[in-house]
């Protein structure tokens, strides 16, 4: 069974305050100079708009004495104070009396604006094919492949076999993990590639830092339906429609790696604070044949931007 490997993983996007929300009202494809940064910022606002009780957008946000915020309807689910009409905060246990629970009108307005932003974000993702100019002609590095893996002759596809391959000893070869690295290795700049995961039930994709303290920045699937990013702890992802083709954008200049659902161009997840002190390698981990003997990962061909107007690709332009 595959597992997530990480020692120095990327961090989940931090939650920040509502400042700057209005700047998104004029967000057009022309103004999206640094797309992954914009996406990360939008994700910050979305995260700040979630109720920590129901995990949905805040509806009529209410504030407790300690600063904890949740939906009005979620107040009733908080633990009641046995000595009065107060409720206990689920984070710090501070008791707030019923009459002291206040609506957070400013936050409610911000949440409404962020909910309106989502269609704009999706529209931008659909309209921007220019990220393709950063697409790299990538192959699988057979010298790193676990001997359980079968690599195609063109070095573009990989799946797990039932028998070990008889390959030469190599220091970079994965001995335990059912995975393989891609070439080239990246030291700077912006790089984009797409991977067809088909109907595989399990997989991991992303980038790794190979050093004495390895770092993995990956998104993966488990049990056919559980998507997660390799943060600590793991970040569960809601992906609709299902991922069949994944776009991966590595920007070493600003230290981000972003994942996109190519079927509709939507953003899946962005890691921040990805170090660029050492070379990064693309990472591929197909399903173990015991779990899924049909699991195949294929690097998609390089597409010229001029031929991709009908595809939903995100942008990364200067």
């Amino acid at each position: 069974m595959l597992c997530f490997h990480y020692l120095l993983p990327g961090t989940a996007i931090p939650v920040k305050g509502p400042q700057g929300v209005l700047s998104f009202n004029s967000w057009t494809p022309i103004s999206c100079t640094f797309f992954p940064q914009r996406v990360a910022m939008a994700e910050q606002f979305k995260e700040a708009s979630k109720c920590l009780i129901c995990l949905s957008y805040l509806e009529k946000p209410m504030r407790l004495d300690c600063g904890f915020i949740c939906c009005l309807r979620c107040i009733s689910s908080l633990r009641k104070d046995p000595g009065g009409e107060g409720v206990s905060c689920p984070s710090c246990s501070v008791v707030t009396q019923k009459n002291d629970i206040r609506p957070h009108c400013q936050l409610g307005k911000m949440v409404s604006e962020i909910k309106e932003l989502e269609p704009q974000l999706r529209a931008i993702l659909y309209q921007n094919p220019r990220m393709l100019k950063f697409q790299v002609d990538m192959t699988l590095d057979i010298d790193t492949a676990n001997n359980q893996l079968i690599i195609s002759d063109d070095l573009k596809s990989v799946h797990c076999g039932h028998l070990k391959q008889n390959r030469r000893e190599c220091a970079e070869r994965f001995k335990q993990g059912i995975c393989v690295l891609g070439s080239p290795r990246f030291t700077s700049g912006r790089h984009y590639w797409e991977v067809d995961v088909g109907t595989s039930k399990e997989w991991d994709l992303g980038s790794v830092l190979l050093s004495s303290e390895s770092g993995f920045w990956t998104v993966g699937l488990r049990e056919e339906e559980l998507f997660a990013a390799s943060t600590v702890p793991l970040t569960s992802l809601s992906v609709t429609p299902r991922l069949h083709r994944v776009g991966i954008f590595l920007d070493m200049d600003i230290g981000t790696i972003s994942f996109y659902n190519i079927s509709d161009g939507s953003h899946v997840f962005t890691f921040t604070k990805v170090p660029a002190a050492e070379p990064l390698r693309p990472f591929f981990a197909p399903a173990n044949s015991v779990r899924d003997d049909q699991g195949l990962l294929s690097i998609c061909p390089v597409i010229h931007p001029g031929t991709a107007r009908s595809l939903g690709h995100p942008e990364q332009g200067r």
Side-chain angles (χ1 to χ4, degrees), residues 273-299:
K273 299 181 181 178
V274 178
E278 298 182 50
L280 289 173
R281 300 287 302 271
F283 178 83
F284 305 81
N288 191 310
S289 57
V290 175
R291 303 279 296 176
D292 178 13
D293 59 3
Q294 300 298 316
L296 177 70
L297 303 181
S298 299
I299 300 171

Side-chain angles (χ1 to χ4, degrees), residues 6-9 208-217 275 278:
Y6 46 86
L7 293 177
L8 289 177
V208 300
L209 175 67
L210 297 181
S211 65
S212 57
E213 296 180 308
S214 299
F216 287 71
W217 294 268
E278 298 182 50

Side-chain angles (χ1 to χ4, degrees), residues 70-82:
C70 65
C71 299
L72 174 61
R73 67 172 181 267
C74 294
I75 292 290
S76 61
S77 67
L78 299 181
R79 185 164 58 88
K80 304 299 186 294
D81 175 31

Side-chain angles (χ1 to χ4, degrees), residues 4 21 33 73-74 81 90 136 156-157 167 172 182 193 219 228 230 255 268 275 307 311-312:
F4 288 106
V21 173
T33 305
R73 67 172 181 267
C74 294
D81 175 31
V136 294
K156 295 288 188 179
S157 299
R167 297 192 178 108
E172 290 189 324
W193 62 98
V219 164
S230 60
V268 175
T307 66
L311 296 178

Side-chain angles (χ1 to χ4, degrees), residues 213-273:
E213 296 180 308
S214 299
F216 287 71
W217 294 268
T218 62
V219 164
L221 171 68
R222 292 293 176 276
E223 299 177 7
E224 296 189 67
E225 58 183 17
L226 303 176
F227 292 95
S230 60
T231 55
V232 177
L234 293 177
T235 299
S236 297
L237 304 175
S238 177
V239 181
T240 304
R242 180 187 172 91
L243 277 169
H244 293 290
R245 185 162 173 167
V246 184
I248 303 170
F249 189 89
L250 171 64
D251 190 331
M252 298 190 70
D253 296 337
I254 61 174
T256 62
I257 178 169
S258 300
F259 297 79
Y260 302 94
N261 188 342
I262 300 304
S263 63
D264 67 350
S266 60
H267 172 254
V268 175
F269 190 79
T270 292
F271 289 97
T272 60
K273 299 181 181 178

